Amino acid sequence: MDIKWLEDFVALSKSRNMFQAAEARNVTHPAFGRRIKALEEWAGVPLVERGHQVSTLNPAGRSVLAAAIDVLDILRDTRQALQKPEQARNRKITIASGKTLAHSVLPGVMAHVQQGMPAFQLKVITTTLNYGVDMLADGEVDFLLCHAHEPLYARIDNPGYRWRRVGADKLVAVSAPVTPGGRHPRYAVPKLGSDAPVPFLAYADSMSLGRILHDRLRGLCVMAQLQTLYESDLADALHAMARQGFGLAWLPHTLVDADLRAGNLVRADSARNDIHMEIRVYQSVDNAKPLAREVWGRIEAYAAR
């Protein structure tokens, strides 16, 4: 039994003409006739009453036709059901992102990307920089959204990956004011060895923000005078602690801008010492998924604005 025989038989029942059915099935008339004959041999009885112009199904043929329609419907539905997981996977984009960027930058990027596109599922995995790079290298994610940082360059700034700058930010030294609404920080960045120790709100070592800060901190202050009071892998947690007056923190400007304007936080160092950062999206050039390539094109357009 060949499924094509059943499809041919259904086509013949519709046209009632061997030549027209063969044309509809895109086969030659002799080949079509052989396939109908093969179906009859499989059934063990004639199924078609052949005329010069019209070929009609006999009672046995009508029974086979009903079964053929049911079988073809079942096979078609089964194939569609089997393909749904693969179709769903192909309509899904997975992005590894730092926790802060996942809510401060990613929504704006994706709002631009998805304009005018057919709907697709977006999965965001918030993770550390090292794990994000590993997931990108292993093909577990389609994109990596991160702050640009020197150790990152050595691993994925090479011909195997491409990137686009999708934003910029800066780390700003902040503290609660001495008095509510005041302009002077409760904890200023220590510049001299004689300065009093300052309670420090630190990023966890796994965070890219922490690494960027650590690389630059030595040139900005006397690090020995920073006494770590609190550590977290979430910038929002450091932000909340700084607002409550627990210590000095270097936080993304996008996160603290409103508080600086409202006076809930004040600068603890000069603006010239802000640590500027690029925000990038990376993709492996080997990612052949059509949707990922389409999204990359939209990211390029966003970056070129």
Side-chain angles (χ1 to χ4, degrees):
M1 167 61 72
D2 188 325
I3 189 173
K4 291 181 180 178
W5 301 350
L6 299 180
E7 293 170 340
D8 291 343
F9 197 63
V10 172
L12 178 60
S13 71
K14 293 177 179 179
S15 67
R16 303 178 65 193
N17 182 284
M18 286 282 189
F19 289 97
Q20 293 176 6
E23 184 177 350
R25 293 287 294 149
N26 199 29
V27 297
T28 64
H29 175 255
F32 185 85
R34 287 193 297 271
R35 281 163 28 174
I36 295 298
K37 187 63 177 176
L39 180 62
E40 290 180 312
E41 291 175 356
W42 175 86
V45 294
L47 303 175
V48 180
E49 294 181 1
R50 293 166 173 82
H52 181 65
Q53 295 290 335
V54 176
S55 295
T56 59
L57 306 186
N58 61 25
R62 290 192 291 272
S63 295
V64 170
L65 175 64
I69 292 173
D70 288 343
V71 167
L72 291 173
D73 285 344
I74 291 170
L75 290 175
R76 182 180 62 253
D77 292 344
T78 302
R79 182 173 182 271
Q80 290 176 350
L82 291 173
Q83 288 181 337
K84 280 183 179 179
E86 179 67 13
Q87 291 169 349
R89 187 183 71 83
N90 287 335
R91 293 302 301 173
K92 180 170 74 173
I93 290 295
T94 305
I95 299 178
S97 171
K99 294 177 181 178
T100 304
L101 294 177
H103 69 79
S104 64
V105 174
L106 185 60
V109 174
M110 295 312 300
H112 177 88
V113 165
Q114 291 184 307
Q115 284 182 1
M117 286 187 67
F120 62 86
Q121 180 184 351
L122 176 64
K123 180 179 180 180
V124 181
I125 301 174
T126 56
T127 185
T128 62
L129 180 61
N130 276 345
Y131 284 126
V133 171
D134 288 342
M135 285 189 286
L136 185 65
D138 294 341
E140 296 176 26
V141 298
D142 299 300
F143 302 101
L144 170 64
L145 176 66
C146 62
H147 293 98
H149 181 227
E150 284 296 338
L152 180 72
Y153 302 154
R155 296 189 63 185
I156 58 176
D157 268 16
N158 60 63
Y161 300 90
R162 51 192 174 193
W163 61 268
R164 288 293 182 270
R165 178 183 182 275
V166 295
D169 207 344
K170 55 187 179 182
L171 289 176
V172 179
V174 296
S175 164
V178 174
T179 58
R183 299 176 59 184
H184 299 288
R186 185 177 304 180
Y187 305 107
V189 173
K191 300 293 186 179
L192 301 172
S194 59
D195 288 342
V198 175
F200 177 43
L201 309 178
Y203 294 102
D205 291 339
S206 59
M207 291 189 67
S208 60
L209 289 177
R211 297 183 184 188
I212 293 170
L213 177 61
H214 185 270
D215 287 349
R216 295 287 303 278
L217 208 51
R218 193 172 301 278
L220 298 175
C221 70
V222 179
M223 293 181 62
Q225 300 306 99
L226 296 179
Q227 297 187 343
T228 301
L229 176 76
Y230 179 81
E231 180 180 301
S232 176
D233 64 354
L234 191 63
D236 290 287
L238 301 186
H239 179 205
M241 294 294 284
R243 285 190 52 164
Q244 293 299 320
F246 280 95
L248 167 69
W250 274 263
L251 294 169
H253 186 260
T254 52
L255 187 61
V256 299
D257 182 44
D259 279 321
L260 289 173
R261 287 186 279 107
N264 299 318
L265 291 171
V266 295
R267 283 182 172 272
D269 199 1
S270 169
R272 67 174 179 270
N273 291 327
D274 292 347
I275 302 171
H276 293 267
M277 309 174 291
E278 279 192 347
I279 299 167
R280 296 179 179 179
V281 174
Y282 284 82
Q283 184 195 36
S284 169
V285 298
D286 295 328
N287 191 325
K289 189 159 65 174
L291 178 59
R293 292 187 176 275
E294 183 180 1
V295 169
W296 180 255
R298 298 296 187 97
I299 290 173
E300 288 184 312
Y302 179 87
R305 294 178 310 160

